[in-house]
Amino acid sequence: MPTPSNPLKAVRGTRDLLPPDTALWNRVESIARSVFSRYGFGEIRTPIFEDTSLFARGVGEETDIVSKEMYTWEDRERFNEKSLIDAWLEGVGNTVIQIDREVSIADKRFDLLVKYTSGVIEIVEFKHKKDVSLSAAVNQLKRFITDYAIASGTMAEIAGRLVFPSRKATSHKELISLSPRIEIEEIPGDFFYSSQSLTLRPENTAGVVRAYIEHKLGERGDLQKLFYIGPQFRRERPMRGRYRQFWQIGAEVLGPVTSGSESPLRDAEVLEMLATLLDELGVKNWQLALNSVGSAEDRKRYLTILRDALAPIQHQLCPDNQRRAETNPLRVLDSKDPNDQALIDTLPRIADFLDDSSRAHFDAVLSALAACSVPYVINPRLVRGLDYYTRTTFEFTVPSSGDPASGLGTQNALLGGGRYDGLSEMLGGPRAPGIGFAIGEDRLILTLQAQAGAPGGVPGERSLLAGVARLDSETWETKLDAYIAPLGPERNAAALALARELRRVGLSVEVGDGSFRLKKSFEAADRVARYIVILGEDEARSGILTVKTFASGEQTKIAQADLAQALRT
Ligand code: HAM
């Protein structure tokens, strides 16, 4: 039981984002949106939960994400009308059941009064508003019985078979004229779907590709460039920079092969856009690490070789890596376990097993990056933790723990992504090669805040600050234009009216309270606004207001008519 000394708290691994931090979040998102729009991306919003099999098939059963970290639940059982009707039509069973009820069903097209007496449904009244076919009438009855069955919770007993006296009856008129006594037969069986397994999305790429397939976006023929901003959920051990609900800013570029979706130019463009975005956000010291995991065939060949190489050393690895060596050997490569590093370094590298076209693809990505002056390092062990990747994989990091400019502790991957040329087919869709990334927004914000606080660091000294008018450098807080301090409760109404006037011309204004002492008003105003406007008896009478500028400490008298203009400067 929650008590005042033990109140309810946010669930472990989740957190509230509050002002003034949310101002920074919004600013970051608006810079991302502006960069995305310059590169021709449109926004996609997919549901926060999906069918579990989407992630099992897309991200991979053996990945940490799917095998350990998903929030999955069984949705409630649903009634399967189709299976009832199928069984009904097949006419299984033959037991007459007892129902005693009288009911009327109103339908848009007709009213039906049905009476249940021992074992029969009698159509008492059948008023048609328009011409109604026999099948519509039968369906209406079926629906009624079904609803009744669901409501009474005794499906198997009540689901019935409708037997009309004459199969030849083809219209409602005939139906009525044929002494509508209907026998009910019991249909044994399970008419409920096994419940559906649902999962809070641990990432957004699978959902985007599902939507691409579902809405046949590929048939438009051109490249689909989609971005998203939203929460994701993974049951990971929470720590700084790692949460159970976290936010991603991501984008995907995919389309039919004829749209150029497979081209290395797309990879380079996505990476160049990320470099631009991080620069515009003012992130310092980012590093791009790249690798190619080859085509699906390259990977298959490499996996056999990797398994063979792991077999003799497997027992020397940490228990986690021993398990990975069995279930998902690629993941051994990006293990962070310090004791296993020397052994892992001896393993064969995937780069040496790429076929000619994967090699050429990777080389083309690298030379396009060089042409755009985007710096990178190649990390042959970068395989990433999701199974859908093919060819290019990448991560952007900022200096890790120990470095005050990081703010992320050991969680130094700011963003990750790569190419996924076979994902659409894995989800039952058409061929649609693609590439994308997701930025951990929580980590991005921590980095910006840490870099702002680090020695020599000016918060977002580049465009983040430049673009935000009056962004307070310490708190990232946007200060309001003015704080109106009414002197005495009798000035409250006039203060509100003045605030309304200023807000309507676009100024941001806070109104104090006339019961505050002047000192308190000044303190409150200094915290939130650039100017304080005093509204006392004299001011109300003369229409000349006293205005103090906090930055300079200067106090002046300004006519109410000129106030808005003065506050804008
Ligand atoms: P990911 O590497 O699993 O890739 O996640 C991308 C980023 O999300 C990470 O680099 C990290 O910044 C952030 N992140 C992941 N887990 C957490 C967490 N528990 N707490 C805070 N931040 C976290 C994907 O999700 C792929 N869908 C990326 C992608 C898009 N690949 C192709 N297209």
Side-chain angles (χ1 to χ4, degrees), residues 65 202-206 228 234 236 241-248 251-252 384-386 388-389 395-396 413-420 435-443:
I65 294 178
E203 62 99 56
N204 220 156
T205 309
Y228 48 84
R234 296 182 194 174
E236 293 194 84
R242 191 161 78 192
Y243 308 100
R244 291 181 165 184
Q245 173 173 337
F246 60 98
W247 289 71
Q248 284 188 338
E252 314 293 346
R384 313 238 327 113
L386 302 96
Y388 49 62
Y389 289 115
E395 267 175 16
F396 281 71
L414 211 50
L415 70 96
R419 184 164 269 290
Y420 44 83
I435 177 155
F437 64 85
I439 304 173
E441 192 175 358
D442 307 71
R443 295 187 189 177

Side-chain angles (χ1 to χ4, degrees), residues 216-250:
K216 301 188 170 47
L217 299 185
E219 289 178 11
R220 299 183 183 178
D222 49 359
L223 210 53
Q224 297 296 308
K225 295 172 115 179
L226 303 163
F227 80 87
Y228 48 84
I229 299 176
Q232 319 292 332
F233 305 85
R234 296 182 194 174
R235 189 188 274 107
E236 293 194 84
R237 196 162 56 80
M239 56 166 70
R240 188 172 173 77
R242 191 161 78 192
Y243 308 100
R244 291 181 165 184
Q245 173 173 337
F246 60 98
W247 289 71
Q248 284 188 338
I249 301 178

